[in-house]
Amino acid sequence: MKPVLNTQSAPDALKAQNQITSKLVLRRVAIDTYRENVAYLHRDCAIYRAEGFQALSKVEVRANGQHILATLNVVDDPAIVGCNELGLSEDAFLQLAVDDGHVVSVSQAEPPASIGALYRKIAGERLGRKDFLDIVRDIAELHYSKIELTAFVVATNRDELDREEVYFLTEAMVASGRKLDWHEPLVVDKHCIGGIPGNRTSMLVVPIVAAHGLLCPKTSSRAITSPAGTADTMEVLANVELPFEQLEEIVRDHRACLAWGGTANLSPADDILISVERPLAIDSPGQMVPTILSKKIAAGSTHLVLDIPIGPTAKVRSMPEAQRLRRLFEYVASRIHLSLDVVITDGRQPIGRGIGPMLEARDVMRVLENDPEAPNDLRQKALRLAGRLIECHPDVRGGDGFAIARDILDSGRALAKMNAIIAAQGAKAFDYHNPPLGLLTFEVCATEAGVVIGIDNLQVARIARLAGAPKVAGAGVDLFRKLGEAVATGDVLYRVHASFQSDLGFARQACAKSTGFTVGETNAVPHVFVEF
Amino acid sequence: MKPVLNTQSAPDALKAQNQITSKLVLRRVAIDTYRENVAYLHRDCAIYRAEGFQALSKVEVRANGQHILATLNVVDDPAIVGCNELGLSEDAFLQLAVDDGHVVSVSQAEPPASIGALYRKIAGERLGRKDFLDIVRDIAELHYSKIELTAFVVATNRDELDREEVYFLTEAMVASGRKLDWHEPLVVDKHCIGGIPGNRTSMLVVPIVAAHGLLCPKTSSRAITSPAGTADTMEVLANVELPFEQLEEIVRDHRACLAWGGTANLSPADDILISVERPLAIDSPGQMVPTILSKKIAAGSTHLVLDIPIGPTAKVRSMPEAQRLRRLFEYVASRIHLSLDVVITDGRQPIGRGIGPMLEARDVMRVLENDPEAPNDLRQKALRLAGRLIECHPDVRGGDGFAIARDILDSGRALAKMNAIIAAQGAKAFDYHNPPLGLLTFEVCATEAGVVIGIDNLQVARIARLAGAPKVAGAGVDLFRKLGEAVATGDVLYRVHASFQSDLGFARQACAKSTGFTVGETNAVPHVFVEF
C-alpha cells in the first residue's frame, strides 16, 4: 500500500506556494499525558474545520524554528482552548520550548520517517541495523504516538526478533541518548531482571565493591510495577535526584554513587517504550535484553553481573527458560563489548523481610550494621553478587571474591562507604531502629499450622503497592515468616503498613482475595537448583 | 507472570470493610478522545496522591449503580478539574450516563476480564471461541485502553490467526452488537474491500437490484482513509443519518435504502478497532474478513457479492494474494451461513471520473440519467455487480443478470428507484449538471506527450483528501484522462477542487511531490486478467 514512485515531475506551477501555514496562539494545557505529545484544538477552530484533521490524527506544530509532532484531541470547551488557540499537553509544551501565547503554525503531519520500517516489522519482516536506528531515533524524539509505540512493542515481542535484531535494537537505544565515559578500564555494575520483592542487593553490593576500590557509578530506576525500586529505597536515606556534574564529583571522590538514572538521559527511547510495556505486562527477552544492556553501555559500564532469579512466581519459571535468556544476554553483550557474568538465583520468594521503600532501607541498614536482626538471605545474596563483581578485577582469583566481600562487610568498611555516599548525595534523617512506618496496620495470620510452602511474589508485591508503596515510603509489607518456616495457627505471617485509610482498605481487600502465603507439609516446599 | 492461585483462605478479619470508596464530584471535560475513555484527576487530589495511581493506569469510576473503566490523565490546572473533582472525556461521560456534579467514586481498576486471553495472544497462543467472545465484549464495552486495543490488533495481524480463529472473531463481533432480521429469505448486499477511489458502485447496484424486487437494505460507512465513503457521497443527495425505525419503514416501502450504518449499533467492536487500525494502516486478511462479514451478518444479509480489486496500487496486488483472500472469505462465510460470491476486479486505477463526495455523486447521477458524459467504467462495473446479485435469485439463470440489470438502468427504472429512495430519506438540493464544487481549483497538466500508463490510487486519494474531501463535500479530484488514453503536452490530466486556500495549498504541495500520473509508451500500460 505504499505509493508507487512516480517518474514524471510535477508542473513548475505547482512548486510555488509550498509554505502553507495556519497560525494559532499557543496555550499550555496542564494535562500530563505521560510521554505522549497531545495537541488540543477547538472543534470550531477554522483550521480544524478546514483541514480535514481527524481526532487521533497526527499534526505538526511549528514555532520559532522548532517543530514537534502531536496526536490531536478535539475540544468543545473554550475554557480549555479557544477557537484561535492550539493547546499542548505538558510534555509537548516543554518539548516545543516556546512561551505561552507564542504564534504557532499547525499542519497535517507527515508520518515519522521510520513508519515504513515499523509497517514492515508489523508485517513480520526482519529489520536491519538502519531500520532500528531510524525507529529508535523517532521514538526518542517523541515522533511516535502511543498507538505506534504499542505496535512496535507488540511486533517485536517474544520470538519476533532474532538475536542479531536484538543486538541492533540495543545498539540503536544506546545511540538515542547520552553515553558516559569514566576514563577507566574497569567500570562495574550489577543488575537484576526484577520480579522479586525486597531484592535490594544493589545498596549492599555498591558500597562493598566501592570499598574494595572498584568504580561503580550506579544509576537506578524508580519502581515501574514493583513496590520499590533501588532509587525509591535509596531516597529514604539520601537525595537521589542529582545534577550529573555533582554525580561525577561524588563518583570521583567515593568510587560510587547510588542515584536515580532519570536525569542522565541514558537510552531515552527505553523510558518511552516502558510507558506502553508496563500496562501490557510485556517483558519478553527481545525487549528485556536491549532495555537492560543499553542502559549499562550508555552509563559507561565495562563489566556487569546480571541476576536472573527463577521460581514459580518469578519472571523466569524454569531453568531452560533461564538458560535461553542467559545465552541471549551473552550474545548481545559480546557484540557490544560488555563483559557479562550471568548468575541464576533462587527466586521462589521475596528477599529480606521488608517490602516497600522504608522497610527495605531498614533491612539494608541492618545488614550494613551487622545487626543481629539483619535478614540473612539478603546478606548472603549481596555478598555472593559482590564477590562475583570483585572477581572482575584481574588480580582477584576466581572463588576469592566472596571472602573479600564478607571481610569488607563484617569490618564495617561497607557501612563507612555507604555513609560517605549518603553524606555526599545529601543525607536524610532516618533511624533504621525506629523507621517512621505507616501507622495504619493490619496483620495477616496463619489459619492452620504447618510450614510455609509458598510465597507468591506477585501477590505480596501487589498488596504492598495497594498499601501505598512506593509513593508512600513508609507503606508496605513486613514479612514475619519465610519459606520452610514452621507456623502455628494464629501466628503472624506479615504486617501491612499504610498511611491512608483508603490504601489500607485496598490492601485488605487484596489480602481477602489471596494472602499470597500457602501453608502445608514440609515436603511440599518447592526446590530450585541454582548457584545461590 | 500470573499470580499463582492460593488455596489458603484469608483470615475472616480481612473480609470486612470491603467496600472502600473515594468520593469525588463528576465533571464533564469537553475533550473528544475518540473512543477511549479518559478520566482527569488533579495531581493534588487527595485520592490521586494517596492511592498510588499512575498516569495511564486504569481506574474504575462508579456512580448510581453504573460503572466504567477509564485511562487516567493527571491535570495540574483547576480550571480543567479541581482537587475534589473527577473529570471524564466526552465518550466516558456519556457512557457513565450520570449528570455533571453527581458524586462518583473511583478506585484502581481490575484489569478487563479478557486480559489473560489478550496476553496469551500477544505471547503467540491460539485462542478459542470463548476467548474471542470475551475480548470482543470487553472491547465493545470500552474496557480496553488504546494500548490494549493496539496490542490486540497487532497480535492478530497477518498470519497470527488461523482461519478458524478468523471465524471465531467474526462470530464474536456479530455477538457484540445488534442483529437485524428482515423476515425474508433473500436479503442481498454488495461490498468492496476498498482502496479504489471513485468506486461508488453501491449507489447504482442498490437501486438496480431493488427495482428488480430484491431486498437490499444497504448501510454504509463514512470514509475512513479514503476521500469519500458511500455514506459521504449519498449524503450529497439525501439525508443518511436516520433513526432505525425510519430506515425499516423505507426498506419496507422501497425494498432498499442507502444510509449510514453508524446508528444501527451493528458490530460495535469493529468501529472501535478501526480507531487504531487506521493510524497503523493495518488491513490484513485476519481483520478485514471479520470486519466486513460481521457487519453483513449483523445487518441481516443472506447473500453478498464481494468485490476484490487487484492492481499495482490496490490493496491486493497479485492474483495469488487475491485467491488466498477469496478462500478465507469463503471459509468464514460458509461457517456463518452467508451465501458469498467473490468477484476479482480491475483495480489498476480509480473508477469513474470524480473523487470526492460531490464529484462522485455527479458521476453516479450521470450513469443513472444515462447522460452521454457518464463514465462507462463505472456503469459497466455496476451493471456486472448488479447482475451477479440478481442471479442470487433462484429464478434467474446464471449469465442473465447483466442483461436484466442493463434493462433496468437503460429504461430509467433504476433512476426512478433512486429518486424514490432519495425522497424517502429526505432529498437535498443537488443539480448534478452544475454541482457546487469547490471554487478554488488548479489543474495538473501533462509535461510530455504519450499514453497514460499509470494512475496511483493512493496518491490520487491523498491529493483529494488534502483538498478537503470528504469533510468538504465539493472538494476532490476530477480526472480528465484514464489509463491507456493518449495525451499531448499541456493536456489537463486532472483538476483539483477545494474550498479553502490552505487545503488547496496542501494538495498543491502533494502534487508537486508526485502527480500520481505516469505517461509513457502504449505498450507499458499494465494488464490485469480479471473478470471485469
Side-chain angles (χ1 to χ4, degrees):
Chain A
M1 274 180 257
K2 290 283 118 53
V4 167
L5 278 178
N6 200 301
T7 52
Q8 184 185 8
S9 76
D12 282 345
L14 297 182
K15 289 182 183 162
Q17 201 181 342
N18 268 12
Q19 282 312 315
I20 315 316
T21 51
S22 309
K23 303 288 188 189
L24 292 171
V25 175
L26 179 62
R27 175 159 173 182
R28 179 180 196 154
V29 177
I31 296 180
D32 176 0
T33 48
Y34 202 56
R35 293 183 178 279
E36 173 164 32
N37 287 343
V38 175
Y40 300 91
L41 214 53
H42 197 283
R43 197 182 297 278
D44 297 332
C45 160
I47 290 172
Y48 174 72
R49 191 179 38 70
E51 291 185 7
F53 289 134
Q54 283 188 288
L56 283 198
S57 68
K58 211 94 74 67
V59 295
E60 181 169 344
V61 182
R62 294 181 170 272
N64 214 13
Q66 304 278 85
H67 69 109
I68 62 164
L69 297 184
T71 297
L72 186 63
N73 277 10
V74 180
V75 175
D76 288 297
D77 180 357
I80 299 171
V81 286
C83 287
N84 64 339
E85 290 178 321
L86 175 91
L88 287 181
S89 65
E90 292 286 4
D91 273 348
F93 183 85
L94 293 174
Q95 214 196 337
L96 186 63
V98 301
D99 291 336
D100 231 356
H102 202 287
V103 170
V104 296
S105 68
V106 56
S107 61
Q108 306 232 18
E110 294 284 325
S114 66
I115 201 81
L118 174 64
Y119 288 168
R120 281 188 283 120
K121 193 72 222 173
I122 293 172
E125 285 183 38
R126 190 178 179 283
L127 298 185
R129 168 178 264 140
K130 184 171 180 309
D131 295 324
F132 283 104
L133 282 170
D134 291 346
I135 289 174
V136 172
R137 189 178 45 239
D138 274 336
I139 291 172
E141 292 174 0
L142 296 180
H143 288 175
Y144 271 31
S145 67
K146 214 107 266 174
I147 289 172
E148 289 156 350
L149 287 174
T150 306
F152 178 72
V153 162
V154 175
T156 58
N157 192 29
R158 56 184 174 103
D159 304 324
E160 303 286 352
L161 296 184
D162 65 28
R163 63 184 199 170
E164 200 177 20
E165 287 181 287
V166 175
Y167 158 58
F168 290 151
L169 178 54
T170 307
E171 191 191 48
M173 282 186 173
V174 174
S176 76
R178 179 175 185 172
K179 190 170 176 314
L180 309 183
D181 185 351
W182 299 97
H183 305 288
E184 291 203 21
L186 197 67
V187 181
V188 303
D189 202 350
K190 78 144 277 286
H191 196 89
C192 176
I193 67 162
I196 309 299
N199 189 22
R200 210 78 295 134
T201 55
S202 291
M203 287 171 67
L204 297 163
V205 170
V206 170
I208 292 171
V209 303
H212 185 65
L214 294 175
L215 191 73
C216 189
K218 178 85 188 153
T219 54
S220 306
S221 61
R222 293 188 183 280
I224 298 169
T225 56
S226 73
T230 293
D232 304 303
T233 306
M234 186 66 188
E235 202 168 31
V236 171
L237 308 174
N239 189 9
V240 296
E241 295 196 14
L242 303 163
F244 182 69
E245 295 63 34
Q246 197 186 336
L247 270 192
E248 267 188 313
E249 204 181 300
I250 293 170
V251 171
R252 199 163 46 234
D253 293 350
H254 302 283
R255 309 291 292 160
C257 65
L258 273 158
W260 178 56
T263 49
N265 193 34
L266 308 175
S267 191
D270 185 58
D271 297 337
I272 295 164
L273 288 170
I274 283 174
S275 69
V276 300
E277 287 165 2
R278 177 170 58 77
L280 289 175
I282 281 183
D283 206 358
S284 71
Q287 276 137 357
M288 184 193 289
V289 173
T291 288
I292 293 174
L293 296 188
S294 68
K295 290 271 187 208
K296 300 304 165 191
I297 289 294
S301 302
T302 62
H303 290 69
L304 176 68
V305 169
L306 183 76
D307 173 10
I308 301 182
I310 65 175
T313 58
K315 283 190 182 178
V316 175
R317 303 196 171 182
S318 74
M319 188 52 85
E321 199 187 331
Q323 296 291 10
R324 269 198 306 278
L325 184 57
R326 175 183 65 74
R327 285 192 296 271
L328 183 61
F329 267 111
E330 287 172 349
Y331 172 81
V332 175
S334 82
R335 292 291 304 264
I336 56 173
H337 309 298
L338 176 72
S339 175
L340 177 67
D341 184 11
V342 173
V343 271
I344 296 173
T345 64
D346 179 0
R348 290 172 300 163
Q349 63 175 336
I351 300 289
R353 273 190 56 189
I355 298 161
M358 214 171 265
L359 286 158
E360 297 182 32
R362 177 202 66 188
D363 283 359
V364 164
M365 292 311 298
R366 281 178 173 170
V367 173
L368 286 169
E369 299 261 10
N370 296 308
D371 186 308
E373 289 205 65
N376 194 47
D377 59 344
L378 178 62
R379 172 186 155 93
Q380 290 297 323
K381 184 169 179 178
L383 288 177
R384 287 175 191 274
L385 291 170
R388 295 289 278 257
L389 264 190
I390 288 170
E391 290 169 17
C392 289
H393 198 282
D395 292 350
V396 177
R397 217 170 46 190
D400 286 358
F402 180 84
I404 296 172
R406 193 183 51 205
D407 286 350
I408 293 171
L409 181 61
D410 289 349
S411 67
R413 285 194 288 145
L415 176 63
K417 176 60 80 179
M418 183 64 156
N419 284 334
I421 294 169
I422 288 172
Q425 293 188 187
K428 295 193 176 174
F430 179 73
D431 174 6
Y432 87 87
H433 296 289
N434 282 301
L437 300 174
L439 292 177
L440 305 175
T441 65
F442 67 87
E443 288 171 354
V444 173
C445 301
T447 53
E448 56 183 322
V451 161
V452 177
I453 61 168
I455 304 182
D456 183 337
N457 289 312
L458 293 158
Q459 182 65 5
V460 170
R462 183 170 158 75
I463 292 165
R465 278 186 75 92
L466 288 170
K471 213 171 268 192
V472 179
V477 171
D478 203 9
L479 301 174
F480 286 60
R481 288 288 186 278
K482 301 290 289 280
L483 268 192
E485 292 181 15
V487 294
T489 305
D491 276 2
V492 177
L493 299 173
Y494 58 86
R495 183 180 295 140
V496 176
H497 290 267
S499 293
F500 297 91
Q501 275 298 349
S502 57
D503 292 350
L504 195 76
F506 288 128
R508 215 190 277 270
Q509 278 180 24
C511 287
K513 280 190 188 158
S514 163
T515 63
F517 269 64
T518 314
V519 172
E521 306 275 318
T522 309
N523 56 11
V525 176
H527 289 279
V528 289
F529 301 94
V530 293
E531 284 188 88
F532 54 91
Chain B
M1 277 179 257
K2 291 281 120 51
V4 168
L5 278 179
N6 200 300
T7 51
Q8 186 184 6
S9 77
D12 282 346
L14 298 180
K15 289 184 178 159
Q17 200 181 343
N18 267 9
Q19 283 311 314
I20 315 314
T21 50
S22 309
K23 302 288 188 189
L24 293 170
V25 175
L26 179 63
R27 176 159 172 182
R28 179 181 196 153
V29 176
I31 296 180
D32 176 359
T33 48
Y34 202 55
R35 292 184 179 278
E36 174 165 32
N37 288 344
V38 175
Y40 301 91
L41 214 52
H42 197 283
R43 197 183 298 279
D44 297 332
C45 160
I47 290 172
Y48 174 72
R49 190 179 37 71
E51 293 184 6
F53 288 134
Q54 282 188 288
L56 283 198
S57 68
K58 211 92 74 66
V59 295
E60 181 169 344
V61 181
R62 294 180 170 275
N64 214 13
Q66 304 277 85
H67 70 109
I68 62 164
L69 298 184
T71 297
L72 186 63
N73 277 10
V74 180
V75 174
D76 287 297
D77 180 356
I80 299 171
V81 284
C83 287
N84 65 337
E85 290 178 323
L86 175 91
L88 286 181
S89 64
E90 292 286 6
D91 272 348
F93 183 85
L94 293 175
Q95 215 196 336
L96 186 62
V98 300
D99 290 336
D100 232 355
H102 202 286
V103 170
V104 295
S105 67
V106 56
S107 61
Q108 306 231 21
E110 293 285 324
S114 65
I115 202 80
L118 174 63
Y119 290 168
R120 281 187 283 122
K121 194 71 222 174
I122 294 172
E125 285 182 38
R126 187 178 182 284
L127 298 185
R129 167 178 265 141
K130 182 168 181 313
D131 295 324
F132 283 104
L133 282 170
D134 291 346
I135 289 174
V136 171
R137 188 179 45 238
D138 274 336
I139 291 173
E141 292 174 0
L142 295 181
H143 288 175
Y144 271 30
S145 67
K146 214 109 260 172
I147 288 172
E148 288 155 350
L149 288 174
T150 307
F152 178 72
V153 163
V154 175
T156 58
N157 192 30
R158 56 182 174 104
D159 303 324
E160 303 286 352
L161 296 184
D162 65 28
R163 63 183 199 171
E164 200 178 20
E165 286 180 288
V166 175
Y167 158 59
F168 291 151
L169 178 55
T170 307
E171 190 192 48
M173 283 186 172
V174 174
S176 76
R178 180 174 183 170
K179 189 169 176 315
L180 308 183
D181 185 350
W182 298 98
H183 305 287
E184 291 204 19
L186 197 68
V187 181
V188 303
D189 202 350
K190 77 145 276 285
H191 197 88
C192 176
I193 66 163
I196 309 299
N199 190 22
R200 210 74 300 130
T201 54
S202 291
M203 287 171 66
L204 297 163
V205 171
V206 170
I208 292 171
V209 303
H212 185 65
L214 294 176
L215 190 72
C216 190
K218 178 85 187 152
T219 54
S220 306
S221 61
R222 294 188 181 279
I224 298 168
T225 56
S226 73
T230 292
D232 304 304
T233 306
M234 185 66 188
E235 202 169 30
V236 171
L237 308 175
N239 190 9
V240 296
E241 295 195 14
L242 303 165
F244 181 70
E245 295 63 33
Q246 197 186 337
L247 270 192
E248 267 189 311
E249 203 182 301
I250 293 169
V251 171
R252 199 164 46 236
D253 292 351
H254 303 283
R255 308 291 292 161
C257 65
L258 274 159
W260 178 56
T263 48
N265 193 34
L266 308 175
S267 191
D270 185 59
D271 297 337
I272 295 164
L273 287 170
I274 282 173
S275 68
V276 300
E277 287 164 2
R278 175 169 60 76
L280 290 175
I282 280 183
D283 205 357
S284 71
Q287 276 139 355
M288 185 193 288
V289 173
T291 288
I292 293 174
L293 296 188
S294 68
K295 290 270 188 209
K296 300 305 165 192
I297 290 294
S301 302
T302 62
H303 291 68
L304 175 68
V305 169
L306 182 76
D307 173 11
I308 302 182
I310 65 174
T313 57
K315 284 190 182 178
V316 174
R317 300 192 173 185
S318 75
M319 188 52 86
E321 198 186 329
Q323 295 291 9
R324 268 198 308 277
L325 185 57
R326 176 183 64 74
R327 284 192 298 270
L328 183 60
F329 267 112
E330 287 172 349
Y331 172 79
V332 175
S334 82
R335 292 291 304 263
I336 56 174
H337 309 298
L338 176 71
S339 173
L340 177 68
D341 183 12
V342 173
V343 272
I344 296 172
T345 64
D346 180 1
R348 291 172 301 164
Q349 62 175 337
I351 300 289
R353 273 191 56 188
I355 298 161
M358 213 170 264
L359 287 158
E360 295 181 33
R362 176 202 67 189
D363 283 0
V364 164
M365 291 311 297
R366 281 177 174 170
V367 173
L368 285 170
E369 298 261 10
N370 296 310
D371 186 308
E373 289 204 64
N376 194 46
D377 59 345
L378 177 62
R379 171 185 155 94
Q380 290 298 322
K381 185 168 179 180
L383 287 176
R384 287 175 192 275
L385 291 171
R388 295 288 277 257
L389 264 190
I390 288 169
E391 290 170 17
C392 289
H393 197 282
D395 292 350
V396 176
R397 217 169 44 189
D400 285 357
F402 180 84
I404 296 172
R406 194 183 50 205
D407 286 349
I408 293 171
L409 182 61
D410 290 350
S411 66
R413 285 195 287 147
L415 176 62
K417 177 59 78 177
M418 183 64 154
N419 284 334
I421 293 169
I422 289 172
Q425 294 188 189
K428 295 192 178 177
F430 179 74
D431 175 6
Y432 86 90
H433 297 288
N434 281 301
L437 301 173
L439 292 176
L440 305 174
T441 65
F442 67 86
E443 288 171 353
V444 173
C445 301
T447 53
E448 57 183 321
V451 162
V452 177
I453 61 168
I455 304 182
D456 183 336
N457 289 314
L458 293 158
Q459 182 63 4
V460 170
R462 183 170 157 75
I463 292 165
R465 277 187 77 90
L466 288 170
K471 212 172 270 192
V472 180
V477 171
D478 202 10
L479 301 173
F480 285 61
R481 288 287 185 279
K482 299 290 289 282
L483 268 191
E485 292 181 14
V487 294
T489 305
D491 277 2
V492 177
L493 299 174
Y494 57 88
R495 183 180 294 139
V496 176
H497 290 267
S499 293
F500 297 92
Q501 275 298 347
S502 57
D503 292 351
L504 195 75
F506 289 128
R508 216 191 275 271
Q509 278 179 26
C511 288
K513 280 188 189 160
S514 162
T515 63
F517 268 65
T518 315
V519 172
E521 307 274 317
T522 308
N523 56 10
V525 177
H527 288 281
V528 288
F529 299 95
V530 293
E531 283 188 89
F532 52 93

